[in-house]
Amino acid sequence: MVPFFVQIKCQLGKSYEVADALADAEIASEIYSTAGEFDLLVKFYVDDGTDIGHFVNQKVQTIPGIQDTRTIITFKAF
């Protein structure tokens, strides 16, 4: 499994709805609310060989209330 993170900027007033939709879709490992430029930080795992860009485009960015995303690819956990 390959882990990666997505920072999500939500439309005003939609952070909890977006977080609930991600949880209901059962595609995220962990969902955190954050302060700053982005509203949520979400950890995902996908199978080796999965196109992460396609996953984010099809499974994450299509959730209503999401305004912008930033994907963070990780290399190694310590």
Side-chain angles (χ1 to χ4, degrees):
M1 299 293 282
V2 177
F4 66 97
F5 296 85
V6 177
Q7 292 178 296
I8 298 174
K9 183 182 294 183
C10 301
Q11 295 171 348
L12 293 176
K14 300 293 183 179
S15 297
Y16 284 87
E17 291 175 28
V18 170
D20 288 342
L22 286 164
D24 290 345
E26 297 183 353
I27 58 172
S29 171
E30 301 170 41
I31 305 167
Y32 298 95
S33 60
T34 58
E37 184 178 349
F38 289 87
D39 302 301
L40 302 172
L41 175 65
V42 186
K43 184 177 186 180
F44 296 94
Y45 285 94
V46 292
D47 292 328
D48 290 335
T50 298
D51 184 324
I52 292 172
H54 183 75
F55 177 90
V56 171
N57 185 270
Q58 295 296 314
K59 304 280 187 182
V60 179
Q61 293 177 342
T62 56
I63 292 175
I66 292 180
Q67 180 177 328
D68 195 12
T69 62
R70 176 182 293 160
T71 302
I72 302 168
I73 307 293
T74 57
F75 300 110
K76 182 178 180 176
F78 295 94

